Each structure stands twice: as structure tokens, then as C-alpha cells.
Amino acid sequence: SEGVSISQYVAEQRLDFIKTMLVTTAKPCFQICFEAGYRREDCCARAFRKLTGISMRQYRSSVNSNN
């Protein structure tokens, strides 16, 4: 997209992947982070919270409770 840095684009793509994996699999968060390209779960968790306002576990719980 125009006006979006490469790093922001990558972060958004990773976030979309993580959201999908949280909803469609029972994989633990650390494994999803690794598959999304993060080397450390804490960095992944921080980025997820920064972009969504909630933790990965909260996201998984809220989406699954709405289904």
C-alpha cells in the first residue's frame, strides 16, 4: 500500500497470520509467534498488544466465545 513502510506492512501481515492461527488452531502462542517469524514470544506479544490493544490469549478467548 502507498504510504506504508515495509516494516509496517510486514507487521500487519504477521498480525493477520497470528490472528488467523489463534482462531483456527489450538497451537500455543509461542509456537504461533515462531511460525509468524518472531524469535522471541515476548517481542511477538508486545507487537500484538501494541497493534490490537489486547493480548493474544485475550484475543483467542474473545473470538472463540463469540462463535
Side-chain angles (χ1 to χ4, degrees), residues 10-20 36 38 47-49 51-52:
V10 170
E12 290 171 2
Q13 293 303 305
R14 281 179 165 177
L15 181 67
D16 288 345
F17 174 81
I18 292 168
K19 285 180 173 180
T20 299
Y38 286 94
F48 189 90
R49 185 181 291 273
L51 293 171
T52 64

Side-chain angles (χ1 to χ4, degrees), residues 38-54:
Y38 286 94
R39 293 184 186 178
R40 295 176 30 196
E41 184 182 6
D42 61 325
C43 293
C44 175
R46 191 176 311 113
F48 189 90
R49 185 181 291 273
K50 181 180 178 183
L51 293 171
T52 64
I54 59 173

Side-chain angles (χ1 to χ4, degrees), residues 9-35:
Y9 176 78
V10 170
E12 290 171 2
Q13 293 303 305
R14 281 179 165 177
L15 181 67
D16 288 345
F17 174 81
I18 292 168
K19 285 180 173 180
T20 299
M21 295 296 285
L22 288 170
V23 175
T24 61
T25 74
K27 291 181 180 182
C29 293
F30 76 87
Q31 186 175 352
I32 293 171
C33 288
F34 179 76
E35 290 178 13

Side-chain angles (χ1 to χ4, degrees), residues 1 7-8 22 24 27 40 52 55 57 60 64 67:
S1 300
S7 60
Q8 182 63 30
L22 288 170
T24 61
K27 291 181 180 182
R40 295 176 30 196
T52 64
S55 72
R57 288 168 184 83
R60 177 178 265 167
N64 288 337
N67 289 337

